[in-house]
Amino acid sequence: MRCCGSLRPHDLQSPFTPARQNRSVIVLGIETSCDETGVALYDSVSGLLAHALFSQVGIHAQYGGVVPEIASRDHVRKLLPLINQCLDDAGLGRDAIDAVAYTAGPGLIGALLVGTATGRSIAMALDKPAIAVHHMEGHLLAPMLEAEPPECPFVALLVSGGHTMLVEVRAIGEYRILGETLDDAAGEAFDKTAKLMGLGYPGGPALAALAGQGDAGRFAFPRPMTDRPGLDFSFSGLKTHTRRLWVESDQGDVTRADIAAGFQQAVVDTLTIKCRRAMQQTRAQHLVVAGGVGANLALRQTLKKAGRKHGWKVAYPRLEFCTDNGAMIAFAGCQRLLAGQSSGPGLQAHARWPLDQLPPLEAPSA
Ligand code: KG4
Ligand code: ZN
């Protein structure tokens, strides 16, 4: 396993040259970076052939958060059956697989190692290339699985349980981080606030559902770091503010919904203000919103409205591909494979892995 110090995720000297293949290529995608086991088969010409997912949410709920060791063990149990299910659904045998793309990071190291070891082993057994995929590259390319894919260059707002970042995407593989969170990720702030108010795990979707019934204007909430220039985020102050409101409140059902609504509105406004700045700064015409919080309907509606007002196109993955899935990994792996890239024979798993260290697909554009 390579660690962060010597990142060479793609050796750029694959024996696989797509031109020589003279046909479409089918990539098996494997995602095991956290608490979802995701598998997919993607065909470079006809698109997504099959995908399957097992969410461990029900398993971790009793602990109030992801237990890494349990996550790894469950990936071991579910991964091979899900791969077989995908092959069955697509009506294909193993010999149809041209390459295996697996999430190599960032994420929980034990969980990543399950996908890495399995993916690498399948590739080795089939004598096919393997591609180590960056989880956040998977998220930011996920809207390209849709009928109207965004065009590069675009700005991506990546909002998940572990990350909140704005990225300028000049081309696939050419990423410039414009801003990121200094503390909690947006999804993490949703989850922690939901837990505080007794909404269980993972709280993001539950808090969002409750917010729909509340009055966002009853309590005042800050829009953190919007009163100063820059594109970084910070959600821990908002979380603390919400905690204080909740602890000092009557903690009734109406109050819970009103606090949820006010909190959600504050997160949505903050993300929207920063997106507007990023779009102005880069002069991009397309905004991509991806990652689990991208499933938040209030965020989608607000950004759509902002897009109409400012003349940007806003692209999202379908709801099921906002959260972790194998399709985005198969797609991202396929793009690198088609560019002649694949990974060396070693196992790669990186708990941390900066997105802007990925190699471009082609010579960087001017
Ligand atoms: O991308 P993802 O599946 O996993 C990571 O890579 O982290 O994102 C999961 C996060 C969780 O924090 C979850 O609470 C949040 O996305 N999430 C939501 C919604 N659906 C999922 N947050 C707010 N509103 C939602 N509808
Ligand atoms: Zn994710």
Side-chain angles (χ1 to χ4, degrees), residues 33 135-136 139 160 323-324 328:
S33 67
H135 181 78
M136 300 313 287
H139 273 306
S160 70
T323 44
D324 293 349
M328 66 184 194

